[in-house]
Amino acid sequence: MISLPMHRPAPGAVAKEIARVRLLAPAALALALCACASAPPATVPTTSVVNLPPPAAGAPARPITSSPVFDAPRVPMPANASRPAVTPAPAPLIASTGVPPAGEVERQEVRDVTPRVARIDLTVQPDDLWQRMRQGFGMADLDSTIVQDKVAWYAARPEYLRRTFERSRLYLYHIVEELEKRGMPTELALLPMVESSFNPMAYSRAHASGLWQFIPPTGRRYSLEQNWWFDGRRDIVASTSAALDYLRDIYEMHGDWHLALASYNWGENAVARAIERNKGVRLPTDYSSLNMPLETRQYVPKLQALKNIIANPAPFGINLDPIPNQPYFTTVTKMKDIDLKLAASLAEMSIGEFVALNPGYNRPLMPLSVSTRIVLPADKVETYHANLEKFGDKSLVSWQTYRPAHGEKLDSIAKRFGIPLSQLKEVNGLASRNRQIPALLIVPSRKEAIGGPRLPIMYAPPIAARPAPPPRPAAVTHVVQLGDTLSSIAARYGVSVDDIRRGNKIGRLQAGQQIVIRRPAGTGVSKKISSKSKSKTKKNKRKSIK
C-alpha cells in the first residue's frame, strides 16, 4: 500500500478567506436589516441568520448552510491521494474573548423598531358624523393671526357654539352626503355656521336668506323659486343643492377653494378683478395676497377656525356631542294642498320643529302647485301617513285666497272673515304699520284657521321694490292661480265674463290653466293714466295763462 503525502491549502489561503468573510458580514447584516424594515411589522422579535454571498470569481463553488460555523475552503485532491484523518475542531472561545473565532459568523438578533401607525378603514363608516366629516377634510389649511383670533373668539363662546351645533344636527348629514356625492371637501358643511349659524330663517340687510344666505339674483340663477307663496332660498333640500353647485362652479373658475369661498362671499367677478389687479403689478394671486373687504378677509379664517375646533375640540375646552351618522330627515310627496299646522299635527310635531325642516313656505297654506314635497324626520314618516289615513276625507285646508275690491281696507276685510287684524297682517307678511292693500291676500275659509298657536316669524320682508308694470298689450295670457274665478279675472283686466268665455273654451277653472284676455282697443291702465295726466297738464297750462 502506497501512502501519498496529504495536500494542504496554500499558505495564507485560510486567513484570506476569513478576512473576506469578516469584510462581507457587516454588509450582509445591513441588507438583512433593510429587508426586515420593508417587511410587514412583526408581532414578536425575530432572529435573522446572515448568509454570505457566493465566493468571488475563480473560487471553488461550495454550498452555504445556515450553520454559524463555516468550513475552510476545500481544495481538490489528486485521484490517487488518500484522505487524511479528520481532527475535531476546537470549541469556540466566545465566552472568554467575546469575539467569534476565525471562520465563524456571529448570530445577530434583529428587533422590529418600526413605529405603529393607526390604520383607518375608509370602507367602514364611523358611527359619529363628526368623525366622518374629519375623514373628508380636504382643503389646504390657512394659518394666520386672523385664524388664531377667530379660534380664540369661538372658543370663548362655548354656549354660542353649543346652540349652533344643536341646530346643525338636523341638516349636517344631508349636507355631508351631498358633498361626498360631488367629491367635495367636507369642511364645506361648516359654511352655514359662518353664513347663518344654521338658522334657516336668517335674513340679512343685503336681502340674503336661508342657511346658505343666497341673494335673490344668485338664487334665481340656480333655479331657487321666489314668489308670494314660497322662497326656495330657505328650502333645505333645494338651497343645499344650489349652494354646492355654485361652490363647485366657482372652484372650477379659480382652481382654489380659498378663492372659491372668497367669491361666495364677495362675488366671483369681484375676486376675478382683484386677481387681475395683482397680475398687473406682478403680485401673488392667492387668497392671502388679494386686496379685499374686511368681511371677505375674515371669511375664510372663520371657516378655518371652526375646522380646527371640530378637528380637535378637547384643547379648546369644547364638548362636541356625537351626531348619529344616519339620515335625520326624509322627503314625503304630498298629494293635496294642506295647512302647515295640520301637517305638523299629523306628524305629531310642534310648529317650530316642522318649520325648521320646511322653512321655505311663506304662508300657512302649502299649495301643491308651489311644492310637491314636505320634509319630515325619518322616524315620523310612518306616523304622518297613519294619521293622514285616519283623517279621512275631511278638508286639509282652512285658508283661501282673496282679491280685495277697489277701495277695500284691511280692517274691514279682517272683520268680514272674523280674523284679528294683527293675524291677517302676519299671515300675509305685512308690517304692522302697513296700510297698503296688496292685490292678493290669504284669509280663513274655516274657523280652525283663526287663533291657535302663533306661527314662527317666517315671512321675509319684500325682496326689492317692484317696478311699475309696463303698458298692457291688447291681448294677454293669464295663468289661473289658486282661488281665481272668472269674475275676479274679468275685474282684474277690465273685461266682462262673457268676453273671457268668447275667447276661450272654459269649463271648470284649474290652477295653471292659461286664458287669453282680449280687451277692446284703447283700454288699459296705462292709457287711462296718460289721459288723466294730459287733462291735468291742460289745467296747469290754463292756470299759468291766468
Side-chain angles (χ1 to χ4, degrees), residues 225-261:
E225 189 176 359
Q226 302 161 58
N227 55 45
W228 190 76
W229 290 100
F230 188 79
D231 191 343
R233 299 175 300 161
R234 295 200 305 264
D235 183 81
I236 303 303
V237 176
S239 67
T240 297
S241 179
L244 301 190
D245 288 349
Y246 180 38
L247 284 166
R248 181 182 57 193
D249 290 347
I250 50 183
Y251 170 74
E252 292 175 353
M253 177 186 299
H254 299 297
D256 180 276
W257 280 115
H258 293 162
L259 294 178
L261 289 167

Side-chain angles (χ1 to χ4, degrees), residues 419-440:
I419 181 174
L421 179 60
S422 59
Q423 186 183 5
L424 179 66
K425 288 183 176 182
E426 179 184 302
V427 298
N428 285 281
L430 302 175
S432 58
R433 296 184 179 181
N434 189 344
R435 295 184 179 180
Q436 293 182 348
I437 309 296
L440 184 66

Side-chain angles (χ1 to χ4, degrees), residues 203-226:
Y203 193 89
S204 76
R205 290 175 296 175
H207 307 299
S209 186
L211 285 181
W212 299 93
Q213 288 291 283
F214 272 99
I215 59 175
T218 310
R220 285 190 290 269
R221 193 183 352 151
Y222 283 86
S223 303
L224 295 179
E225 189 176 359
Q226 302 161 58

Side-chain angles (χ1 to χ4, degrees), residues 296-311:
T296 309
R297 174 63 62 205
Q298 297 179 347
Y299 189 72
V300 177
K302 286 180 181 179
L303 183 66
Q304 181 68 53
L306 289 168
K307 175 184 176 181
N308 293 349
I309 292 173
I310 299 299

Side-chain angles (χ1 to χ4, degrees), residues 135-287:
Q135 293 177 7
F137 286 171
M139 288 171 48
D141 286 333
L142 185 68
D143 188 13
S144 67
T145 55
I146 303 179
V147 173
Q148 297 169 8
D149 291 343
K150 295 305 176 184
V151 169
W153 190 92
Y154 284 121
R157 291 162 176 81
E159 185 59 25
Y160 165 77
L161 286 179
R162 186 195 65 78
R163 292 194 307 269
T164 304
F165 293 154
E166 188 63 26
R167 283 194 294 264
S168 73
R169 299 174 72 90
L170 279 64
Y171 317 114
L172 265 181
Y173 180 89
H174 175 73
I175 297 173
V176 172
E177 276 281 299
E178 293 300 310
L179 283 167
E180 290 182 346
K181 287 179 184 177
R182 293 166 170 81
M184 298 168 68
T186 53
E187 54 260 62
L188 293 175
L190 304 174
L191 195 58
M193 292 188 186
V194 179
E195 287 286 350
S196 63
S197 299
F198 271 104
N199 178 10
M201 307 309 299
Y203 193 89
S204 76
R205 290 175 296 175
H207 307 299
S209 186
L211 285 181
W212 299 93
Q213 288 291 283
F214 272 99
I215 59 175
T218 310
R220 285 190 290 269
R221 193 183 352 151
Y222 283 86
S223 303
L224 295 179
E225 189 176 359
Q226 302 161 58
N227 55 45
W228 190 76
W229 290 100
F230 188 79
D231 191 343
R233 299 175 300 161
R234 295 200 305 264
D235 183 81
I236 303 303
V237 176
S239 67
T240 297
S241 179
L244 301 190
D245 288 349
Y246 180 38
L247 284 166
R248 181 182 57 193
D249 290 347
I250 50 183
Y251 170 74
E252 292 175 353
M253 177 186 299
H254 299 297
D256 180 276
W257 280 115
H258 293 162
L259 294 178
L261 289 167
S263 299
Y264 192 91
N265 175 257
W266 191 19
E268 59 267 34
N269 293 331
V271 172
R273 288 192 295 268
I275 291 174
E276 290 303 317
R277 283 195 295 269
N278 276 28
K279 285 181 178 179
V281 292
R282 297 183 178 180
L283 289 176
T285 58
D286 60 293
Y287 170 81

